[in-house]
Amino acid sequence: MTGMQVLIENKKILFGDTELEYYPYYFSIWKEDADHRQTVKVVLSQWADALDSLRSKEDAVYLPYYLDDETCRYLKAELDGEDSVLTDMLVRDAGYDMDLDDLSRQMYSAPEVLDSYVDNNGHYVRATKFFGRYRTEDLIEALRGAEINISNLKFEI
């Protein structure tokens, strides 16, 4: 067992000490009375499978996490030796059109990446940035064992 832990909270996923914010709305929209964090857990399990495929056949995989109407955020994962290097990207995609039980269409095809966007203050922001570097085996194991933070039961959107 590795020391790395992935914890799912109401609006963020914790990779050890690193936070990844997500928008919970599309993780529960198609499943009435479902806890969106359960759907996030299903998505993270698919990420683990995609990362496992990096070692045998894929150059890169794309891991959707922030689903919205016309743009979404993905982590692009590429191998570097025994490590997975993750880059956070803004892409043109529709979160409402994703099958969260089978994200293979999104994970194994390069999306249309947006270079920048304008934030709420009118500033241009670079949309692609380094997220992290993790030992691939540890990351896969942590994603498969992702836990929902039960101490944070307040449901917010």
Side-chain angles (χ1 to χ4, degrees), residues 42-115:
V42 168
V43 167
L44 296 181
S45 176
Q46 292 177 71
W47 285 16
D49 294 341
L51 288 167
D52 198 28
S53 75
L54 274 176
R55 297 187 285 194
S56 60
K57 59 183 176 187
E58 301 295 332
D59 293 328
V61 292
Y62 305 89
L63 313 172
Y65 72 89
Y66 194 102
L67 313 181
D68 211 342
D69 292 340
E70 296 177 20
T71 59
C72 297
R73 297 208 70 90
Y74 284 27
L75 292 177
K76 177 182 182 181
E78 298 174 285
L79 274 187
D80 183 18
E82 292 187 11
D83 295 342
S84 289
V85 177
L86 304 178
T87 305
D88 188 5
M89 309 182 314
L90 180 67
V91 304
R92 190 171 315 282
D93 205 346
Y96 58 82
D97 194 34
M98 290 186 194
D99 177 357
L100 299 181
D101 293 321
D102 182 5
L103 288 167
S104 39
R105 180 172 59 91
Q106 285 80 17
M107 293 190 309
Y108 300 108
S109 301
E112 179 185 347
V113 179
L114 303 173
D115 293 328

Side-chain angles (χ1 to χ4, degrees), residues 31-42:
K31 297 180 180 181
E32 191 172 319
D33 297 326
D35 181 344
H36 70 273
R37 296 172 300 175
Q38 289 292 342
T39 306
V40 171
K41 186 173 175 131
V42 168

Side-chain angles (χ1 to χ4, degrees), residues 13 15 18-20 75 86-88 129-134:
I13 303 164
F15 293 81
T18 306
E19 293 183 3
L20 185 65
L75 292 177
L86 304 178
T87 305
D88 188 5
K129 61 185 180 217
F130 175 77
F131 177 76
R133 181 184 193 95
Y134 302 92

Side-chain angles (χ1 to χ4, degrees), residues 1-4 138 141-142 145 147:
M1 184 66 149
T2 68
M4 183 176 189
D138 294 345
E141 186 176 331
E147 297 179 14

